[in-house]
Amino acid sequence: MAGGNERIMKALKEVWRRAENSLCADCGKPDPDWASSTLGVFICLSCSGIHRNIPSISKVKSLKMDHWDDTQVQFLAKHGNAVTKAIYEAHIPIYYYQPTYNDCHVLREQWIRAKYERREFTEPGKQLPYSDGVKEGILWKRGRDNGQFLPRKFLLSEREGCLKYFTKHDAKEPKINVKIDVINATFQPVKIGNPNGLQITYLKDNKTRNIFVYHESGKEVVDWFNAIRSVQFHYLKVAFPIASDNEIKNRLTRNFLKEGYMEKTGPKQREAFKKRWFTLDHRRLMYFKDPLDAFAKGEVFVGSRENGYSVQKGLPSGTQGNFSWHYGLTIVTPDREYLFTCETETDQLDWITAFTSVINQAMTPQEYAIEAYFKFKS
């Protein structure tokens, strides 16, 4: 009996060591140590918890702690991540967002359910709830002034190339009508305080406007997210006909590079430092009094190193403004220096890393135009 167990464990480890099984089949996390005995995929601990919630589809076991029998190991050997992905991920739309282990729970859960439970990607040309070019429904939206979440009707239209929302269900005119090419959407469950919280941002007069929404259904809010990406994709295909699908995909919704609190001082650098919430959205550094503010109190353009931008650890000697946090950093631009302080050294180094990643990238023609606007405005 012991010899049989050793043989089975040896066979299991051989399958487990295959290169195709070295990353979680669902989120890409390295070194997965769980597997589904009914789907034949190797997955991480976090994704195994989601699989456990769909027991009619997937039965998960630990590769280290649970007993595996001969039949189950043979099933894993015949399948594995590559074979199973070829079945369940055969026809994923180019615009569909495939989450990683860094993404929030609702994105990862709906990705797993879409693949295995709803089998959305197994057939070519399948009609999907986010691929119609139009989506209409109710989302709970946070009020700009009172902070209260209220149900609002939203309408997304590929034909009109816009997203609208209405304050009343029977309203004839929308409260906003936003062109799809200036919209971004990113999940913010912690900031919004809801596991299905979605932040929609758009440019209005070249300033960023935030809308915070959620839906009780995780599937519904993820469908909205992918519907926005779908409409954006088709809009950009028309606007940039020679661009490849992957180039366009990279221009769809994006996560912010970094968010968090820092202290800042004014342009004279003699004022007291004030605590603000900062969002780095590629080359736009925005700061808010509160993380859920609709509009930023100010924005700073972060250009490239070759154009005179840099980030430096610490504050200039002789800085006079009073500050309570002592881990400083300085953003140098062609026109002035911006001074910030962080609460911890870890925060300071993380912000410096984020700024450096932006500054080291060459600017696009569109970004030169944005830089010119910021200079004109100031």
Side-chain angles (χ1 to χ4, degrees):
M1 189 73 171
N5 284 339
E6 288 179 8
R7 178 182 53 79
I8 291 172
M9 286 307 299
K10 182 180 178 181
L12 178 61
K13 288 178 180 177
E14 286 179 358
V15 181
W16 189 6
R17 281 198 293 261
R18 291 178 188 169
E20 66 182 86
N21 300 324
S22 63
L23 302 176
C24 174
D26 296 325
C27 73
K29 191 171 185 178
D31 304 318
D33 54 7
W34 287 72
S36 169
S37 62
T38 52
L39 293 171
V41 289
F42 291 76
I43 54 179
C44 69
L45 174 63
S46 180
C47 288
S48 76
I50 299 172
H51 279 249
R52 195 173 285 111
N53 289 328
I54 46 173
S56 61
I57 305 294
S58 182
K59 299 191 184 304
V60 294
K61 301 176 73 172
S62 168
L63 294 164
K64 295 179 178 178
M65 297 178 291
D66 291 330
H67 171 74
W68 291 78
D69 63 36
D70 236 339
T71 303
Q72 292 169 335
V73 173
Q74 289 175 20
F75 183 81
L76 282 182
K78 289 180 181 178
H79 292 79
N81 289 0
V83 170
T84 307
K85 280 173 172 281
I87 298 169
Y88 291 97
E89 299 182 17
H91 303 285
I92 303 173
I94 186 71
Y95 57 79
Y96 187 95
Y97 185 81
Q98 299 177 45
T100 72
Y101 55 90
N102 291 318
D103 283 302
C104 63
H105 181 84
V106 68
L107 269 174
R108 291 183 291 109
E109 179 183 19
Q110 292 307 314
W111 162 235
I112 289 169
R113 288 186 179 275
K115 285 200 294 182
Y116 307 121
E117 186 178 46
R118 299 192 293 269
R119 299 175 68 96
E120 291 183 2
F121 314 123
T122 57
E123 304 169 20
K126 187 173 182 177
Q127 191 67 25
L128 299 169
Y130 38 82
S131 62
D132 292 346
V134 62
K135 187 166 178 60
E136 183 176 357
I138 301 296
L139 293 170
W140 288 82
K141 176 190 169 293
R142 186 179 191 272
R144 188 182 72 179
D145 300 319
N146 60 17
Q148 184 180 3
F149 281 91
L150 295 171
R152 294 289 183 255
K153 184 177 81 170
F154 280 75
L155 174 63
L156 176 70
S157 170
E158 181 179 318
R159 182 177 60 82
E160 297 181 51
C162 67
L163 174 70
K164 308 174 185 179
Y165 90 80
F166 303 80
T167 54
K168 295 182 179 178
H169 188 75
D170 57 353
K172 297 293 189 292
E173 295 297 325
K175 176 73 172 180
I176 64 163
N177 186 339
V178 189
K179 291 297 182 184
I180 196 66
D181 59 326
V182 298
I183 290 176
N184 183 39
T186 180
F187 279 89
Q188 296 280 9
V190 175
K191 187 161 72 173
I192 294 175
N194 184 285
N196 302 333
L198 185 68
Q199 180 174 345
I200 298 173
T201 65
Y202 63 93
L203 290 178
K204 181 179 181 180
D205 301 325
N206 212 29
K207 293 181 180 179
T208 304
R209 164 79 157 96
N210 296 322
I211 296 176
F212 302 97
V213 300
Y214 73 85
H215 196 281
E216 297 92 337
S217 163
K219 178 183 182 301
E220 181 67 10
V221 77
V222 173
D223 283 351
W224 269 102
F225 177 67
N226 281 302
I228 290 171
R229 289 175 61 89
S230 171
V231 170
Q232 282 185 332
F233 180 81
H234 292 107
Y235 176 91
L236 292 172
K237 282 287 284 184
V238 174
F240 302 96
I242 64 172
S244 70
D245 283 356
N246 276 328
E247 287 174 325
I248 292 176
K249 179 182 177 181
N250 291 334
R251 296 186 62 172
L252 303 182
T253 59
R254 63 198 176 274
N255 293 327
F256 300 136
L257 292 178
K258 183 162 175 59
E259 287 193 291
Y261 283 108
M262 291 192 291
E263 294 180 327
K264 68 172 289 294
T265 187
K268 296 180 181 179
Q269 300 179 1
R270 293 192 295 271
E271 302 93 331
F273 282 69
K274 295 180 180 179
K275 182 180 175 182
R276 294 289 183 257
W277 177 267
F278 285 83
T279 296
L280 180 59
D281 185 8
H282 195 49
R283 296 201 184 276
R284 287 178 180 265
L285 176 66
M286 297 166 280
Y287 55 93
F288 307 83
K289 189 172 182 180
D290 184 273
L292 296 177
D293 284 347
F295 292 98
K297 291 183 70 67
E299 300 188 26
V300 177
F301 181 83
V302 183
S304 65
R305 192 172 304 280
E306 63 186 6
N307 287 287
Y309 294 82
S310 65
V311 56
Q312 299 173 0
K313 187 176 181 180
L315 302 176
S317 60
T319 300
Q320 298 177 19
N322 294 324
F323 47 87
S324 55
W325 291 348
H326 298 281
Y327 298 93
L329 63 91
T330 304
I331 299 292
V332 179
T333 77
D335 301 315
R336 59 168 282 197
E337 295 179 343
Y338 293 88
L339 311 186
F340 309 101
T341 59
C342 302
E343 186 174 14
T344 68
E345 185 178 17
T346 299
D347 287 342
Q348 177 198 48
L349 296 177
D350 286 348
W351 276 109
I352 290 173
T353 299
F355 285 126
T356 300
S357 70
V358 174
I359 289 169
N360 285 344
Q361 296 178 42
M363 286 166 54
T364 66
Q366 293 91 340
E367 289 168 349
Y368 277 106
I370 296 171
E371 180 190 40
Y373 168 82
F374 271 84
K375 289 183 176 179
F376 173 78
K377 185 178 65 171
S378 61

